[in-house]
Amino acid sequence: MADCNSVTVFAAIGAAYIGYKVFTLLKTLFDVYVAPGISLKKFGAGQGAWAVITGATDGIGKEFALQLAKKKFNVFLISRTASKLEAVAEEIASQYGVETKCFAMDFTKGNPEDFSKVGEILNSIRVGVLVNNVGVNHEIPTPFEEEDETIINNIVEVNIKGLMKMTKLVLPQMKTNRNGLIFNLGSFAGLVPTPYLSVYSAGKAFLSTWSQALGTEVAKDGIVVEHVNTYFVVSAMSKIRKPTILIPTAKNYVASVLSKVGVACGANVPFTSTPYPTQGIVNWVINNVFSHHFWVKHNDSIQKDIRKRALRKREREQAAALKTQ
């Protein structure tokens, strides 16, 4: 009788566990395909509010600028190259008739004067949305001990320090207004440690943890922090040129982000969303299938392969350059 009771208990526990996993999968599917996000009108769309976008002249950043302008936010664009900023601002103004401001700065410098000037501009406008998009990565997958110190310092300066400084500049007025939305653009490299991209991966893991802590702190002030967990997107940074079922264009990706504010979509930590449908499902798989060790080893094999191909490409380019001399 005792043995039968034990079997029954273990069977019940197993059924409950499987039932929970099925429930989380169904919730993920509901989130990514059905559930609506918080309306951007809550944050001042069409009401004179401004969206501030860093890294705003290419890829995901430019798409955020275009799509937020289409939603009738005025836009403040921050990036490194003044000519590119002006071109994007002109495109936005002509297409959507909203106000624009630009400021050219190099986030790798971490120049206090630049942030001071940005702060002055921010204090003259009502900020509804901040998009912390600017970021740098390793040039190719590289063992930590071999990585160039400049690249390491740039990743830390831009991906960690820069976004914290930008966030600290907008928080006072958002708290005063009791309203605001902060997008922190994350990466699957922060979800699963990624060998050969160790500094970038650690920076994105920091972003995940920091967003959860910050989001908890400011929720009482009416501010929404959204750590956006991102897999690959077609962009210059990713070096991917063609979309697939798992890798969207920047346009489609940003549309999914803006439509799913506040919806987890496969993520299982607070203040985090993986809004693109297939990426949300992959996020669920990583959280629920195989071990963490498995996924780290999987990343290791992927990055080793990418590194081999990148080194071969460098060799070909060097050989071609020698021939032309």
Side-chain angles (χ1 to χ4, degrees):
M1 181 65 70
D3 289 342
C4 289
N5 289 338
S6 297
V7 170
T8 301
V9 169
F10 282 119
I13 293 172
Y17 178 79
I18 293 171
Y20 173 73
K21 292 294 184 180
V22 171
F23 170 78
T24 60
L25 176 58
L26 292 175
K27 182 181 183 304
T28 295
L29 294 173
F30 177 81
D31 282 358
V32 299
Y33 290 114
V34 181
I38 301 169
S39 171
L40 293 176
K41 290 182 179 180
K42 172 180 169 56
F43 307 105
Q47 303 163 45
W50 288 72
V52 182
I53 304 101
T54 64
T57 55
D58 293 294
I60 291 174
K62 182 179 179 181
E63 272 302 324
F64 266 110
L66 290 169
Q67 294 191 34
L68 286 167
K70 188 175 181 180
K71 301 285 186 182
K72 294 304 177 181
F73 283 97
N74 300 315
V75 291
F76 178 20
L77 312 173
I78 306 173
S79 198
R80 185 170 52 186
T81 307
S83 59
K84 287 185 176 182
L85 283 168
E86 291 165 4
V88 176
E90 289 177 7
E91 181 181 350
I92 287 171
S94 63
Q95 283 191 37
Y96 303 115
V98 298
E99 294 183 58
T100 64
K101 293 181 183 293
C102 299
F103 188 80
M105 64 180 286
D106 184 347
F107 278 84
T108 65
K109 306 299 183 186
N111 188 338
E113 292 183 5
D114 285 336
F115 285 102
S116 178
K117 291 176 181 177
V118 168
E120 291 175 6
I121 297 172
L122 292 174
N123 289 336
S124 70
I125 60 179
R126 177 163 62 92
V127 179
V129 179
L130 169 65
V131 182
N132 280 316
N133 168 72
V134 68
V136 294
N137 200 344
H138 303 262
E139 291 182 358
I140 66 171
T142 304
F144 176 72
E145 64 177 327
E146 298 177 20
E147 188 56 277
D148 184 85
E149 285 295 321
T150 299
I151 291 175
I152 292 173
N153 291 335
N154 286 349
I155 292 172
V156 173
E157 187 65 50
V158 178
N159 297 11
I160 297 177
K161 292 183 178 180
L163 70 90
M164 287 197 295
K165 290 174 183 177
M166 286 299 305
T167 303
K168 203 160 190 179
L169 288 174
V170 303
L171 278 177
Q173 67 159 288
M174 285 185 172
K175 292 185 75 172
T176 298
N177 296 333
R178 297 196 59 79
N179 185 265
L181 171 61
I182 299 172
F183 285 119
N184 293 327
L185 271 293
S187 169
F188 273 41
L191 175 65
V192 179
T194 306
Y196 301 93
L197 300 179
S198 60
V199 183
Y200 178 81
S201 181
K204 292 303 183 180
F206 164 87
L207 181 59
S208 173
T209 303
W210 179 71
S211 296
Q212 293 173 61
L214 178 66
T216 303
E217 290 177 14
V218 301
K220 67 182 185 303
D221 301 306
I223 302 168
V224 176
V225 175
E226 185 92 328
H227 168 237
V228 185
N229 196 28
T230 311
Y231 189 57
F232 290 114
V233 174
V234 174
S235 69
M237 185 174 180
S238 70
K239 300 181 177 64
I240 296 173
R241 298 179 180 179
K242 294 182 179 181
T244 67
I245 191 171
L246 190 58
I247 304 173
T249 62
K251 181 177 182 178
N252 289 340
Y253 185 74
V254 170
S256 71
V257 174
L258 296 180
S259 69
K260 294 291 183 179
V261 177
V263 184
C265 297
N268 68 344
V269 295
F271 303 99
T272 299
S273 177
T274 312
Y276 192 73
T278 52
Q279 295 184 8
I281 294 168
V282 170
N283 196 155
W284 181 89
V285 170
I286 291 171
N287 290 335
N288 292 278
V289 180
F290 304 124
S291 67
H292 194 69
H293 178 75
F294 168 87
W295 292 111
V296 174
K297 294 296 290 183
H298 179 67
N299 270 359
D300 178 67
S301 64
I302 290 174
Q303 296 305 321
K304 283 178 179 176
D305 182 62
I306 293 173
R307 176 171 170 79
K308 287 179 183 178
R309 288 188 276 116
L311 291 174
R312 286 198 296 266
K313 182 180 179 181
R314 279 186 179 180
E315 291 173 359
R316 292 194 300 269
E317 291 173 345
Q318 290 170 357
L322 289 172
K323 288 182 181 178
T324 60
Q325 291 179 356

